[in-house]
Amino acid sequence: MRVRESEGDRMRVRESEGDSMRVRESKGDSRRVRESKGDSRRVRESEGDRMRVRESEGDSRRVRESKGDSRRVRESKGDSRRVRESKGDRMRVRESEGDRMRVRESEGDRMRVRESKGDRMRVRESEGDSMRVRESEGDRMRVRESEGDRMRVRESEGDRMRVRESEGDSRRVRESKGDSRRVRESKGDSRRVRESEGDSRRVRKSERDGRRVRESEADNRKV
């Protein structure tokens, strides 16, 4: 069956066959099309440079929207959700399912990804050759940063802490637990270790010269 109605700049066309139905409506530069078949539904609306499409089937839903260079897509099925947004070179995608969540953002050469599940969390960020990754779970935390040949890793759990740093042939590791501290440094063939606990201090140095290794040790204790 087909029914067509019009009045001035308004127009409406209704078509149906079995369980299928289609309705087209227009007024000026506005357009609307509704379609259905069984439990499937689709609605498309437009006006000027705006556009919106809604689709559904069972527990699945999808909505697409656009205006100029802006785009947005929302999707859902059961407890799963996904939202994608973009404008120019900017983009954002958010996904979730149960207690899982993931958000990805980018603009030019910058990128950021956040992920979480329960008390676990991970954030990755990058721009050019710079990168940063932050991970946590309960009281545990890890942060990794890099730029060119520089790298830094920071780890902590309770009162424990460890920091590793490197640049070129230089290395540095700092560790602490309670009132204990330990710092290891190296550059080329030189090595240095500093340790402290309470009021005790200890420093060890070594330097390789050809085949020889020179070592020195200082131990300072206050009583």
Side-chain angles (χ1 to χ4, degrees), residues 12-15 21-25 32-36 41-45 54:
R12 189 174 189 259
V13 179
R14 188 176 186 277
E15 296 166 297
M21 196 261 286
R22 190 175 192 239
V23 180
R24 286 182 293 146
E25 296 166 298
R32 190 173 192 246
V33 179
R34 286 182 294 147
E35 295 168 297
S36 66
R41 300 282 184 277
R42 187 177 190 263
V43 180
R44 188 183 190 277
E45 297 164 300
R54 286 179 292 152

Side-chain angles (χ1 to χ4, degrees), residues 182 191-193 195 202-206 216-217:
R182 188 171 191 247
R191 303 282 183 273
R192 187 178 190 232
V193 180
E195 295 169 301
R202 191 180 187 212
V203 180
R204 281 180 294 151
K205 296 180 189 176
S206 69
S216 64
E217 188 171 317

Side-chain angles (χ1 to χ4, degrees), residues 106-121:
S106 65
E107 185 175 357
D109 67 343
R110 290 197 323 203
M111 196 261 285
R112 189 172 191 251
V113 181
R114 284 183 293 144
E115 295 166 296
S116 66
K117 185 181 188 305
D119 68 342
R120 283 184 4 207
M121 198 259 288

Side-chain angles (χ1 to χ4, degrees), residues 113-142:
V113 181
R114 284 183 293 144
E115 295 166 296
S116 66
K117 185 181 188 305
D119 68 342
R120 283 184 4 207
M121 198 259 288
R122 190 173 193 245
V123 181
R124 283 182 294 146
E125 295 166 297
S126 65
E127 184 174 359
D129 66 344
S130 299
M131 192 194 50
R132 188 174 189 260
V133 181
R134 187 180 187 277
E135 296 166 298
S136 64
E137 184 175 359
D139 68 343
R140 288 194 310 189
M141 197 259 288
R142 187 177 190 262

Side-chain angles (χ1 to χ4, degrees), residues 29-84:
D29 67 345
S30 297
R31 300 284 185 276
R32 190 173 192 246
V33 179
R34 286 182 294 147
E35 295 168 297
S36 66
K37 184 174 167 60
D39 67 345
S40 298
R41 300 282 184 277
R42 187 177 190 263
V43 180
R44 188 183 190 277
E45 297 164 300
S46 65
E47 186 174 354
D49 66 346
R50 287 178 189 263
M51 194 265 286
R52 189 173 191 249
V53 180
R54 286 179 292 152
E55 296 165 300
S56 67
E57 187 172 356
D59 66 345
S60 297
R61 301 280 184 279
R62 190 173 191 245
V63 180
R64 286 182 294 142
E65 296 165 296
S66 66
K67 185 180 188 304
D69 66 344
S70 297
R71 300 281 185 278
R72 191 175 193 235
V73 181
R74 286 180 291 149
E75 295 167 297
S76 66
K77 184 172 168 50
D79 67 344
S80 299
R81 300 283 183 277
R82 188 176 190 260
V83 180
R84 188 182 188 277

Side-chain angles (χ1 to χ4, degrees), residues 126-203:
S126 65
E127 184 174 359
D129 66 344
S130 299
M131 192 194 50
R132 188 174 189 260
V133 181
R134 187 180 187 277
E135 296 166 298
S136 64
E137 184 175 359
D139 68 343
R140 288 194 310 189
M141 197 259 288
R142 187 177 190 262
V143 181
R144 187 181 188 277
E145 296 165 299
S146 65
E147 185 174 356
D149 67 343
R150 291 196 313 192
M151 195 263 286
R152 187 176 189 262
V153 180
R154 186 179 186 275
E155 295 165 299
S156 65
E157 185 175 359
D159 67 343
R160 287 178 187 266
M161 197 264 285
R162 189 172 191 247
V163 180
R164 287 181 292 142
E165 295 166 297
S166 66
E167 185 174 357
D169 66 343
S170 297
R171 301 282 184 276
R172 191 173 191 240
V173 180
R174 287 181 293 145
E175 294 167 299
S176 66
K177 186 180 187 308
D179 66 347
S180 297
R181 302 282 184 277
R182 188 171 191 247
V183 180
R184 286 180 292 150
E185 296 167 298
S186 67
K187 185 175 170 64
D189 293 326
S190 299
R191 303 282 183 273
R192 187 178 190 232
V193 180
R194 285 180 293 152
E195 295 169 301
S196 67
E197 187 170 356
D199 57 1
S200 296
R201 304 285 184 274
R202 191 180 187 212
V203 180

